[in-house]
Amino acid sequence: RKVWGQGDFPFLFVQIAPHNGMSPEIRDAQRLAVQTTQNTAMAVTIDVGDAADIHPKAKQPVGQRLALAARALAHGEKIEYSGPAYDSLSVSGNKATLSFKHLGGGLVAKDGALKGFTIAGADGKFVEAKASIDGDKIVVSSDSVSAPTAVRYGWSNVPEGSLWNKAGLP
């Protein structure tokens, strides 16, 4: 933006699609970029990835998500353009509660139960977790973690996730 001298223009990009050779750290860096850079949006691809092909065939959902972001950021339409985005974590006992931005009318577990959550205690060892929607929050726990310190979602090269918002965005 600085080099182009055009001000704080909208910047939209596509999340690296899930793939056998693509680590979750890359998607996490992209998530952090959206959270820390104003007037940006990322089209999430967790649901359209192909473990064997870095260029998934399902292009239409990606284009539709970019168009929503452009309508909201570039054209000022008051529409939801992002799926649920992590906001904060609080801990009470053995449960971690996650809050989100971009609720889009509420959280949903697409195709059944929430999948893809892991949790860790002070030892930093992540284990599979139970997760459930409680209003506009998600409560995460595991019988093997008595005092949670961190939660991850979709932390694998090809994650299986099911967290969406009611606006139909992952």
Side-chain angles (χ1 to χ4, degrees):
R1 290 173 175 160
K2 186 185 293 182
V3 170
W4 287 332
Q6 300 294 311
D8 187 27
F9 60 85
F11 189 87
L12 315 176
F13 62 94
V14 178
Q15 180 183 52
I16 295 291
H19 180 263
N20 285 332
M22 207 50 64
S23 74
E25 286 86 358
I26 293 169
R27 289 190 310 275
D28 194 42
Q30 290 180 298
R31 177 191 63 81
L32 288 170
V34 168
Q35 285 187 323
T36 59
T37 309
Q38 291 184 336
N39 213 15
T40 61
M42 175 176 64
V44 171
T45 61
I46 192 169
D47 61 317
V48 296
D50 181 335
D53 187 351
I54 192 65
H55 300 289
K57 292 175 181 35
K59 307 287 190 221
Q60 201 165 33
V62 178
Q64 290 168 339
R65 292 167 191 170
L66 285 171
L68 285 172
R71 288 172 56 195
L73 295 182
H75 299 287
E77 290 185 39
K78 302 292 183 212
I79 58 172
E80 185 56 79
Y81 63 91
S82 173
Y86 170 78
D87 187 34
S88 65
L89 173 137
S90 63
V91 175
S92 179
N94 69 339
K95 295 180 188 314
T97 301
L98 306 173
S99 297
F100 295 86
K101 298 176 184 174
H102 297 287
L103 294 169
L107 301 173
V108 295
K110 189 170 182 185
D111 301 326
L114 284 175
K115 297 178 244 174
F117 285 88
T118 56
I119 194 167
D123 63 2
K125 294 180 182 173
F126 283 86
V127 296
E128 190 172 331
K130 296 176 251 171
S132 60
I133 297 170
D134 183 9
D136 287 340
K137 300 181 184 312
I138 294 180
V139 178
V140 184
S141 65
S142 169
D143 292 341
S144 60
V145 177
S146 60
T149 59
V151 174
R152 286 180 173 163
Y153 173 69
W155 198 262
S156 69
N157 290 10
V158 184
E160 183 179 11
S162 59
L163 176 59
W164 290 58
N165 62 24
K166 288 185 180 175
L169 297 166

